[in-house]
């Protein structure tokens, strides 16, 4: 009986130490493993009951025999029984602690997986959104670019709001993980710093897009100003040629003085050439800026050259006609003088006529 009781006491001491030990649990696997150890204790605890019963039976037998040590044996058996019975409460307390730690580890694992899933999806979302924000096609005309502004601003606001919503969810998960003491995440290398950096990069990309839009708007405004300038100057050129032609047509007088007046007024077409050269420089500048159309005018440099050349042709034709008229006048004068000279040569003098009649 003494040996059996001693073994039970030693076993109880070991189990009391085990059950009173607060377990450190740092992973889900560790929590599950320590609960399996506790399950093994329960199996061992149940198996120890026959030994306890034997100890108590032997103590009862010794007491019935009124042995000298019967009271000590009975007291020792009662103490062992009390200690053995107390193990059940200790086991319950340890199981409650391990269950709580298992639940905590499961929660930590769920958070790791959820954060990894959302973080991976967020990074893919931000990458697509950033690529979309690299689009610099705002339209091919000033009206189109101006009309694009609402879409540009809406896209930036929507992207920022969507990213912020997803980021807030990740931030919440991250805070919960930190509160539970999560130190690592085998499901992803991403952290809250990576999420914040990605969000900032997306916002920056939209800011760069907004800056590019403003640059394109200014460029289109410049192009439009150049188109209008060309249209206005081309119209002024055509009006000037028309007015100059009218002024030349209004000149009058004898052919030779009129020719001089026409040449003086026309100035050999230098005003038209200077204006056309200036327009050509503007057209060249517009071409370098990428302008290929102008809805504000149908005039082109080639067309304006035709207008200039037509004025020159009209002036030349007018001068030629006046020169021919002068030649005709000169020819008429020469012929008239010759006829007069001939007539005078054929007509006798008055004195000679008188003598002839005597």
């Amino acid at each position: 009986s003494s040996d059996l009781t001693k073994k039970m006491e030693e076993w109880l001491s070991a189990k009391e130490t085990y059950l009173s030990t607060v377990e450190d649990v740092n992973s889900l696997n560790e929590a599950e493993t320590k609960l399996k150890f506790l399950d093994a204790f329960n199996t061992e605890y149940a198996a120890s009951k026959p030994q306890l019963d034997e100890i108590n039976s032997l103590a009862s037998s010794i007491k019935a025999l009124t042995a000298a040590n019967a009271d000590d044996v009975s007291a020792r058996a009662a103490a062992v029984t009390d200690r053995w019975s107390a193990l059940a409460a200790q086991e319950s307390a340890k199981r409650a602690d391990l269950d709580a730690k298992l639940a905590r580890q499961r929660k930590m694992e769920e958070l790791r997986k959820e954060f990894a899933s959302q973080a991976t999806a967020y990074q893919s979302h931000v990458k697509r959104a950033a690529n979309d924000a690299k689009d610099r096609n705002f339209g091919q005309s000033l009206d189109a670019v101006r009309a694009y502004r609402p879409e540009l601003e809406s896209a930036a606001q929507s992207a920022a709001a969507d990213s912020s919503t997803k980021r807030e969810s990740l931030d919440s998960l991250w805070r919960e993980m930190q509160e539970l003491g999560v130190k690592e995440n085998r499901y992803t290398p991403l952290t809250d710093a990576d999420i914040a950096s990605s969000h900032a990069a997306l916002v920056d990309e939209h800011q760069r897009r907004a800056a590019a839009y403003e640059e394109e708007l200014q460029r289109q405004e410049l192009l439009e100003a150049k188109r209008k300038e060309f249209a206005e100057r081309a119209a002024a050129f055509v009006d000037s040629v028309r007015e100059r032609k009218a002024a030349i047509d209004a000149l009058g007088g004898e052919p030779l003085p009129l020719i001089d007046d026409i040449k003086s007024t026309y100035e050999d077409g230098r005003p038209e050439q200077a204006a056309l050269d200036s327009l050509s420089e503007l057209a060249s500048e517009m071409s370098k800026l990428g302008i290929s159309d102008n809805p504000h005018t149908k005039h082109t440099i080639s067309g304006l050259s035709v207008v200039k050349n037509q004025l020159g042709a009209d002036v030349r034709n007018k001068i030629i006609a006046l020169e021919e008229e002068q030649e005709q006048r000169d020819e008429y004068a020469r012929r008239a003088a010759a006829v007069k000279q001939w007539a005078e040569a054929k007509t006798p003098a008055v004195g000679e006529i008188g003598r002839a009649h005597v």
Side-chain angles (χ1 to χ4, degrees), residues 51-61 74 76-78 80-81:
Q51 292 176 298
L52 178 66
D53 291 342
E54 186 177 354
I55 290 171
N56 284 316
S57 177
L58 289 171
S60 297
S61 296
S74 294
R76 192 175 179 188
V80 167
T81 301

Side-chain angles (χ1 to χ4, degrees), residues 64-78:
L65 295 172
T66 63
N69 63 342
D71 290 340
D72 291 339
V73 171
S74 294
R76 192 175 179 188

Side-chain angles (χ1 to χ4, degrees), residues 260-289:
D260 290 338
D261 288 344
I262 290 174
K263 288 182 177 180
S264 176
T265 301
Y266 179 57
E267 299 180 87
D268 201 24
R270 285 188 294 276
E272 285 73 33
Q273 188 60 54
L276 187 60
D277 288 344
S278 179
L279 279 165
S280 295
E281 290 177 3
L282 176 57
S284 177
E285 180 185 358
M286 291 168 65
S287 178
K288 290 177 182 178
L289 288 172

Side-chain angles (χ1 to χ4, degrees), residues 300-318:
T300 63
I301 292 299
S302 60
L304 295 175
S305 295
V306 171
V307 171
K308 176 189 78 71
N309 293 337
Q310 186 60 53
L311 176 61
D314 290 344
V315 170
R316 285 193 298 274
N317 290 337
K318 187 179 288 294

Side-chain angles (χ1 to χ4, degrees), residues 147-312:
Y148 192 80
R149 183 183 291 277
E151 182 177 343
L152 175 81
E153 294 175 348
S154 175
Q157 292 170 0
S158 177
D162 193 21
S163 176
S164 294
T165 299
K166 290 178 170 59
R167 182 188 173 192
E168 287 169 5
S169 177
L170 282 161
D171 286 345
S172 177
L173 286 171
W174 183 264
R175 285 192 298 270
E176 196 172 354
M177 288 165 64
Q178 300 312 298
E179 289 169 1
L180 287 174
V182 174
K183 303 298 182 184
E184 48 75 32
N185 191 344
R186 62 195 176 100
Y187 301 106
T188 180
L190 298 171
T191 67
D192 64 327
D194 297 314
I195 301 304
S197 177
S198 295
H199 177 77
L202 178 59
V203 172
D204 288 345
E205 190 62 52
H206 274 283
Q207 290 176 344
R208 285 192 290 273
R209 190 180 191 218
Y213 172 83
E214 294 301 332
E215 290 179 6
E216 178 61 17
L217 179 61
Q218 292 177 8
R219 190 181 80 87
Q220 288 293 343
E221 288 174 341
L222 172 63
L223 300 186
E224 189 69 0
K226 292 297 181 182
R227 290 186 183 99
K228 289 182 177 179
E229 180 185 355
F230 182 88
E232 292 170 0
R233 288 174 58 183
F237 177 84
V238 173
D239 290 343
S240 174
V241 170
R242 186 182 299 113
E243 291 169 0
R244 292 252 294 158
K245 183 178 184 305
I248 291 171
D249 289 343
L251 295 173
E254 294 300 314
L256 291 179
L258 181 53
I259 289 173
D260 290 338
D261 288 344
I262 290 174
K263 288 182 177 180
S264 176
T265 301
Y266 179 57
E267 299 180 87
D268 201 24
R270 285 188 294 276
E272 285 73 33
Q273 188 60 54
L276 187 60
D277 288 344
S278 179
L279 279 165
S280 295
E281 290 177 3
L282 176 57
S284 177
E285 180 185 358
M286 291 168 65
S287 178
K288 290 177 182 178
L289 288 172
I291 298 174
S292 59
D293 66 326
N294 193 343
H296 304 294
T297 182
K298 294 181 179 179
H299 294 306
T300 63
I301 292 299
S302 60
L304 295 175
S305 295
V306 171
V307 171
K308 176 189 78 71
N309 293 337
Q310 186 60 53
L311 176 61

Side-chain angles (χ1 to χ4, degrees), residues 37-157:
F37 287 160
L38 189 56
D39 290 339
F41 161 78
N42 282 333
T43 300
E44 189 177 353
Y45 180 57
S48 69
K49 182 64 168 57
Q51 292 176 298
L52 178 66
D53 291 342
E54 186 177 354
I55 290 171
N56 284 316
S57 177
L58 289 171
S60 297
S61 296
I62 292 172
K63 185 176 182 180
L65 295 172
T66 63
N69 63 342
D71 290 340
D72 291 339
V73 171
S74 294
R76 192 175 179 188
V80 167
T81 301
D82 290 342
R83 289 176 66 189
W84 187 90
S85 298
L87 291 181
Q90 294 175 45
E91 188 277 342
S92 294
K94 189 176 187 72
R95 183 170 295 278
D97 179 62
L98 287 175
D99 282 343
K101 289 175 178 176
L102 174 63
R104 179 171 176 271
Q105 288 297 328
R106 283 176 174 168
K107 181 63 176 178
M108 292 168 71
E109 193 72 355
E110 290 172 2
L111 289 172
R112 289 188 186 98
K113 290 180 179 180
E114 184 61 22
F115 182 86
S117 176
Q118 288 191 28
T120 301
Y122 178 77
Q123 292 296 81
S124 297
H125 166 78
V126 168
K127 183 177 181 180
R128 290 193 300 271
N131 285 335
D132 291 342
K134 294 181 186 298
D135 179 16
R136 299 295 188 265
N137 183 14
F138 308 121
Q140 302 303 316
S141 68
L142 178 58
D143 288 343
V145 173
R146 283 175 174 167
Y148 192 80
R149 183 183 291 277
E151 182 177 343
L152 175 81
E153 294 175 348
S154 175
Q157 292 170 0

Side-chain angles (χ1 to χ4, degrees), residues 293-353:
D293 66 326
N294 193 343
H296 304 294
T297 182
K298 294 181 179 179
H299 294 306
T300 63
I301 292 299
S302 60
L304 295 175
S305 295
V306 171
V307 171
K308 176 189 78 71
N309 293 337
Q310 186 60 53
L311 176 61
D314 290 344
V315 170
R316 285 193 298 274
N317 290 337
K318 187 179 288 294
I319 290 175
I320 290 172
L322 289 170
E323 287 174 342
E324 289 177 350
E325 180 183 349
Q326 184 61 47
E327 288 178 2
Q328 290 173 358
R329 289 189 178 193
D330 291 345
E331 180 62 24
Y332 178 81
R334 283 195 298 273
R335 289 182 179 181
V339 169
K340 181 181 179 183
Q341 185 179 4
W342 176 81
E344 288 176 349
K346 294 296 183 178
T347 303
V350 174
E352 291 179 353
I353 296 174

